[in-house]
Amino acid sequence: MAAHARDPEAGHLLSLAGRYAEFIAWMCQEADDERSALGWARTTASLARHVGSPDMEANAILRRSLLALYCDDGAATVELASAAAAFPAFPATRVRALLRLAQGHALSGDDLRCRRALDDAYNLLSSPSFSGPAAGPGTAVSHGSSPVPALSSVHDGAALGTTSGTAYAAGHGSGHYGTRHVADPAAMARGWCLQVLGHHDEALSLLGAEAQRIPAHAHRARARFEVRVVLAALGANDVDRACATLREVLTVAPGIDSATLRTDLRGCVRALSRHRRHPAVAELLPLVTSHASRRTSA
């Protein structure tokens, strides 16, 4: 259709094709078809360059960085997220790139660079480009330019609620890429990083509060982030809470055919195995192992 259309209709059609390609990449990822997901992400990037959309291209790179994250490849996650953050994309996209960068550094065990990326994300969330009327792409965010406090003190819960929760959800022209069910993606990413870096008590407090804010009908999002709560609880040696949360996850897991959830559950199996003598863990471990390894029926 675009080949036979005139401008600006041709550009609109190619932009629509790019959005569909990005969505297909996500569906391929959830179907555990990494090769196809990467192919469709590259198709998205190609269409984005054709129509001159740095925001769409940055989001295509973020799709690839998410695939790297779920392969526990911290170096590739950092490389791709850094590339996405360098694009003159919309503020919400640049925040997502910085949060992904923080996750990549956390996977690599780099506490300092993780804190810097989180600081940059929060600084952007509180900047005029987010709170002001302008919704267009801005300049790239510099990394590590401001003093870096301890990870436990980077923006308290009240600040998160007033900056990230409302501004991020608004999207500011980003086309609503990313989650729609997580009230505060920045807080959730910070909790994810805390858990990976071994700050389990603080991660448990933050992730637990944020998971409860996800709507009950958003089964996949709720299950995925409650698994992170389980991992933080196990790290904090709160096995009873971990098992109680895991039972909630298992009530919806059979109806969710999600490769990313299965990956999260496999990580949960490894963590649970260290507590296998606990009666509740002994009861749940076979069920979790089963859900982590099988796809649901069509």
Side-chain angles (χ1 to χ4, degrees):
M1 290 174 65
H4 295 89
R6 297 178 180 179
D7 287 330
E9 287 79 8
H12 294 327
L13 287 166
L14 289 173
S15 294
L16 181 61
R19 292 303 305 268
Y20 270 100
E22 205 285 329
F23 182 77
I24 295 169
W26 177 30
M27 294 297 96
C28 289
Q29 178 184 348
E30 286 297 83
D32 206 14
D33 186 351
E34 182 180 348
R35 182 176 179 180
S36 294
L38 287 170
W40 281 104
R42 292 189 177 99
T43 297
T44 305
S46 177
L47 288 164
R49 288 190 293 271
H50 193 82
V51 299
S53 174
D55 191 69
M56 184 186 293
E57 188 168 2
N59 276 285
I61 295 172
L62 284 175
R63 174 63 53 196
R64 292 169 57 197
S65 74
L66 184 61
L67 287 161
L69 184 77
Y70 271 89
C71 289
D72 291 326
D73 190 339
T77 303
V78 167
E79 180 181 359
L80 290 163
S82 296
F87 276 82
F90 289 106
T93 295
R94 288 155 54 216
V95 168
R96 291 179 59 234
L98 290 168
L99 295 176
R100 184 68 44 74
L101 181 62
Q103 290 177 303
H105 285 313
L107 266 184
S108 301
D110 195 329
D111 197 298
L112 180 61
R113 285 190 172 90
C114 176
R115 293 199 302 266
R116 284 176 173 168
L118 287 170
D119 278 348
D120 284 342
Y122 286 121
N123 288 338
L124 180 54
L125 279 166
S126 59
S127 70
S129 63
F130 241 99
S131 57
T139 56
V141 178
S142 62
H143 299 285
S145 57
S146 58
V148 183
L151 186 58
S152 59
S153 65
V154 177
H155 295 263
D156 61 24
L160 289 174
T162 56
T163 58
S164 177
T166 54
Y168 192 104
H172 280 267
S174 67
H176 301 290
Y177 288 98
T179 181
R180 297 189 184 194
H181 297 301
V182 177
D184 194 338
M188 196 68 87
R190 178 174 171 245
W192 191 101
C193 291
L194 286 165
Q195 186 268 314
V196 171
L197 289 168
H199 305 290
H200 298 295
D201 289 318
E202 190 177 358
L204 180 58
S205 176
L206 186 55
L207 289 170
E210 290 302 317
Q212 289 302 308
R213 297 173 68 189
I214 298 174
H217 65 81
H219 296 309
R220 175 184 169 276
R222 188 78 177 255
R224 283 190 55 223
F225 289 109
E226 283 189 337
V227 168
R228 306 309 305 187
V229 173
V230 171
L231 292 172
L234 290 172
N237 289 316
D238 191 344
V239 181
D240 290 333
R241 177 171 179 178
C243 290
T245 304
L246 196 51
R247 288 190 184 94
E248 295 179 11
V249 174
L250 293 180
T251 61
V252 298
I256 304 173
D257 191 6
S258 164
T260 52
L261 177 58
R262 288 193 295 274
T263 299
D264 289 335
L265 286 173
R266 285 194 289 272
C268 205
V269 168
R270 292 191 292 271
L272 281 169
S273 296
R274 294 191 284 272
H275 302 271
R276 61 174 64 249
R277 292 188 178 181
H278 190 287
V281 172
E283 174 193 348
L284 288 171
L285 192 53
L287 295 172
V288 182
T289 302
S290 175
H291 286 302
S293 60
R294 75 182 183 201
R295 297 193 60 180
T296 63
S297 327

